[in-house]
Amino acid sequence: MKKTDAVIIGAGPVGLFAVFELGIMGLNAHVIDNLDKVGGQCIELYPDKPIYDIPALPECTGESLTKNLLKQIKPFNTEFHLNQRVESLEKKDHNWIVTTSDQEKFETPNVIIAAGVGSFEPRKPPIKNIEKFEKTNLYYAVKDKNKFKDQIVCIFGGGDSALDWTVELSKIAKKVILIHRRDDFRAAQHTVGLARDLEKEGKVEILTCYQPLDFKGDESIKTVEVKHDDGQQKNIEVDSVLAFFGLKMELGPIANWGLDLEAKSLKVNTENFETNEKGIFAIGDICTYPGKLKLILSGFHEGALCAQECFKRAKPDEKYVFRFTTSSSDIQKRLGVK
Amino acid sequence: MPKVTYIEFNGKQHEVNVENGLSIMEGAVQNGVPGIDADCGGACACATCHVYVKEEWLDKLPEQGDSEKDMLDFAFETKKNSRLSCQLILEDKHDGIIVNLPEKQG
Ligand SMILES: Cc1cc2nc3c(=O)[nH]c(=O)nc-3n(C[C@H](O)[C@H](O)[C@H](O)COP(=O)(O)OP(=O)(O)OC[C@H]3O[C@@H](n4cnc5c(N)ncnc54)[C@H](O)[C@@H]3O)c2cc1C
Ligand code: FES
């Protein structure tokens, strides 16, 4: 069990800036995110797109904003716990026990939910009862590529993951079959070229304008049934299936924590962004209140205000004194400014 | 104000008058029509505003841009008449348009 002043759920821009606001007050935080990287929507959905409405930053991208936030919070040596979803919150006296999908546990007086529109989860192909295959030979990511040695691997998708793995696995698999719903691939054209070359060599088979219809098999997928746009169907024998249909945001376990919800957002007060539970806060896209705007700049403001209440809960015997970063030697010490 | 008919997957119909200049996605979200999630708020980055446009209306709509084509790869059970409704901005000529909603948004 790790003890900490605050646990932040979500490493999007708003969660990252909350680390800063807590940090300059001398509070430490652990940050948990389901993705394998920090940055939330900015990194997962639009790393290269320009953003023009961050105050005093006339132009940045999702990626550069994330990089700069990480630089800004570097002095606090924050611990990130990635690839883990927060599953439950339980009350223990004045504190909360936070448990993740990897069974990591944290005890803290403050839980800041900065979970955006929810955690990023793989999108699944439109096939009934596919969950049972997830235990055997259906994958949404490659953890250990050696599993696919000498196998017939069927890959669905047209983006970088699908094409990169088509090329990579063709080196060890018996055969790779790439299936995509249209002729164009979103993936880098260079990789598409490599896959087309492998197709000519017979190592890869590429089927376009096909969509999955059914996966057949008892415990594991034995046959993949696909349908061409013109109606023709085809059965393909496989050893494993990799589906790369991107990620989707799902509210997930947050809905089960007994917090007041409105649509898919958490209701908060605008004084300190606390939810209906003491010590549980919601900031950024996940929170709602009259006039809420889902903007990064609003989330930054919300983080600053919620940090004040976090301080009171983490250090009930200390008096908080408002200070500017410009003139406070305490803050500057925490920031490592000499 | 063009009238839009949204038909949920279970067959339930919603007729809504939507202001010119708004998208079919916004028309649904602002009027509480269920079945369109629009997680990214209309930025063509989530594919959770997927609809099937009644065939006869397809050629009255703007052509698919590259980003819409790309994002449609992520939509659940796409068909020939699949579109992302945040990219469908309404004008007078769309009065009466009908869209069917998919079983789920991804
Ligand atoms: C294409 C596009 C363009 C945009 N352009 C702008 C713009 O120009 N200006 C602007 O201000 N805003 C813009 N936005 C909106 C902006 O990106 C969001 O407001 C912002 O990302 C919200 O930040 P956040 O930290 O609240 O949530 P997010 O960025 O959504 O991050 C939340 C994180 O929480 C994680 N998470 C959720 N639940 C759990 C859980 N149970 N366990 C573990 N982790 C969890 C998720 O995996 C995710 O990484 C844009 C959005 C999109 C999609
Ligand atoms: S609302 Fe996200 S793609 Fe249309």
Side-chain angles (χ1 to χ4, degrees), chain A residues 144-169:
Chain A
D144 172 17
K145 67 176 182 189
N146 293 318
K147 237 186 222 148
F148 304 100
K149 200 166 178 301
D150 301 325
Q151 290 199 339
I152 302 176
V153 186
C154 177
I155 299 182
F156 285 96
D160 285 322
S161 308
L163 272 292
D164 288 350
W165 283 115
T166 297
V167 172
E168 188 60 30
L169 294 182

Side-chain angles (χ1 to χ4, degrees), chain A residues 166-168 170 193-204:
Chain A
T166 297
V167 172
E168 188 60 30
S170 72
L194 289 178
R196 288 289 182 198
D197 290 344
L198 289 163
E199 185 186 22
K200 285 187 203 115
E201 292 168 33
K203 290 195 174 135
V204 167

Side-chain angles (χ1 to χ4, degrees), chain A residues 224-290:
Chain A
V224 164
E225 199 176 293
V226 292
K227 188 176 166 186
H228 192 269
D229 280 354
D230 68 14
Q232 239 182 62
Q233 292 184 15
K234 220 178 163 78
N235 286 320
I236 304 164
E237 311 247 311
V238 298
D239 295 313
S240 16
V241 176
L242 277 161
F244 294 113
F245 293 110
L247 300 174
K248 175 181 169 30
M249 294 175 276
E250 272 175 20
L251 191 54
I254 294 171
N256 312 325
W257 296 342
L259 303 172
D260 281 350
L261 280 167
E262 186 178 293
K264 285 194 254 167
S265 308
L266 295 169
K267 285 212 241 177
V268 291
N269 73 59
T270 47
E271 202 181 314
N272 56 26
F273 297 88
E274 204 161 28
T275 63
N276 57 312
E277 289 282 3
K278 284 254 166 288
I280 300 187
F281 305 85
I283 58 175
D285 279 11
I286 190 83
C287 77
T288 186
Y289 51 84

